[in-house]
Amino acid sequence: MNSELISIHGKTATITEALETRHSIREYLPQPIPETTLKTIFEKALRTPSWKNSQPWKVHIVSGEKKDLLARNLTKAARESTPQPETNWPESYPSDAKKRMFDLGMKIYGVAGIDRKDKEARDQFMLRNFAFFGAPTAVFITSKFDLNFFVGIDLGCFVQSVLLLAREEGLGTCPQAALGAFPDVVRASLELPKEEKVIMGLSIGYPKPDSDLNRFHTPRESAEDLLRFY
Ligand SMILES: Cc1cc2nc3c(=O)[nH]c(=O)nc-3n(C[C@H](O)[C@H](O)[C@H](O)COP(=O)(O)O)c2cc1C
């Protein structure tokens, strides 16, 4: 499918359409999401499979003033301190992945009109993560489980369910590891017990139309390189 022709607006009819038209949205309209729509998405996502049906997730859906306060507190923490994630953020990657990550940064900065050498501009752009890119609703995925590999897979499956269901409802999303960078800020705001770890989050809302950032699409490696049929 020609990515230029992919619409980011309106509902989708099939999973294929949701999968093909979903991509990370990093500019939103302030328009709130109806509560019934949020309930539909997150209640359906609870059907996600997990290791022995263990269901390691808790999901916190935050809108309105509480979301605005969290945005301010997270942005302040990101300005003043270094990330303290409770998950193991990867430290090294295979060289081909490094290239893809470098290309992603180059392209996003290019679309956002940021000179790669301008650290101040890059930092400001990064901070937009913590204001949920202007989305009306922020979501935090937490877990009381020991964070082993399969819990990570279960939580990843859950996040993908949400991304596709949101797309089906005509909403945009951005999954964000960044939202797990300052767990104490989230824990204090949502009054979570200490044993509930903040894994990651996502922004969800109506994509801002005519946004270069929202039109930006990441490529994928080819099926020939990644798939083997026996
Ligand atoms: C686990 C995970 C964490 C991510 N964390 C961030 C993040 O913190 N900030 C951000 O802007 N994008 C984040 N992304 C979005 C990825 O950059 C994006 O999914 C990837 O480049 C593919 O692009 P697409 O989502 O537009 O198809 C994350 C995605 C995943 C799956």
Side-chain angles (χ1 to χ4, degrees):
M1 186 184 293
N2 180 348
S3 61
E4 292 302 313
L5 298 177
I6 292 174
S7 168
I8 53 170
H9 308 288
K11 298 191 176 197
T12 65
T14 64
I15 293 173
T16 304
E17 204 188 331
L19 196 59
E20 282 180 340
T21 62
R22 183 218 62 82
H23 64 277
S24 294
I25 294 296
R26 296 187 178 88
E27 276 193 292
Y28 293 87
L29 296 173
Q31 183 184 338
I33 305 166
E35 208 177 309
T36 50
T37 307
L38 285 173
K39 280 201 170 133
T40 300
I41 293 167
F42 288 95
E43 286 177 10
K44 282 186 187 172
L46 294 177
R47 290 296 309 162
T48 300
S50 57
W51 171 278
K52 293 189 182 179
N53 202 23
S54 53
Q55 304 174 53
W57 42 74
K58 275 272 172 77
V59 190
H60 307 267
I61 300 126
V62 193
S63 309
E65 283 174 18
K66 200 163 185 69
K67 186 268 305 180
D68 292 340
L69 182 62
L70 249 172
R72 284 197 294 279
N73 290 343
L74 282 172
T75 304
K76 185 170 184 295
R79 276 212 181 95
E80 296 173 0
S81 52
T82 51
Q84 314 265 310
E86 293 169 303
T87 52
N88 292 331
W89 281 11
E91 281 170 11
S92 64
Y93 300 89
S95 55
D96 58 331
K98 274 190 203 158
K99 185 183 174 316
R100 285 195 289 273
M101 292 161 72
F102 180 80
D103 287 348
L104 174 69
M106 289 292 276
K107 282 188 190 137
I108 289 196
Y109 293 140
V111 173
I114 292 170
D115 179 351
R116 241 195 86 76
K117 292 188 197 118
D118 186 346
K119 184 169 179 324
E120 171 63 25
R122 278 190 283 128
D123 289 349
Q124 285 301 324
F125 183 76
M126 188 274 294
L127 283 177
R128 291 196 215 168
N129 269 284
F130 301 102
F132 318 115
F133 300 112
T137 296
V139 179
F140 295 88
I141 311 289
T142 65
S143 182
K144 286 184 183 169
F145 284 46
D146 284 343
L147 297 183
N148 65 43
F149 189 77
F150 283 100
V151 170
I153 290 186
D154 297 342
L155 298 175
C157 289
F158 186 88
V159 170
Q160 173 75 330
S161 294
V162 172
L163 303 185
L164 295 181
L165 287 163
R167 182 65 200 88
E168 184 186 31
E169 291 292 333
L171 288 160
T173 49
C174 187
Q176 291 165 262
L179 297 183
F182 302 101
D184 289 343
V185 174
V186 178
R187 197 175 289 110
S189 172
L190 304 181
E191 297 176 38
L192 307 178
K194 184 76 188 154
E195 66 270 21
E196 199 165 326
K197 289 162 288 248
V198 181
I199 312 297
M200 62 176 290
L202 51 107
S203 300
I204 178 167
Y206 297 97
K208 191 170 170 213
D210 305 323
S211 151
D212 288 340
L213 260 179
N214 287 346
R215 269 195 294 271
F216 163 72
H217 274 257
T218 48
R220 296 293 188 267
E221 298 300 308
S222 70
E224 293 85 72
D225 284 343
L226 296 181
L227 308 181
R228 280 198 191 167
F229 297 91
Y230 298 89

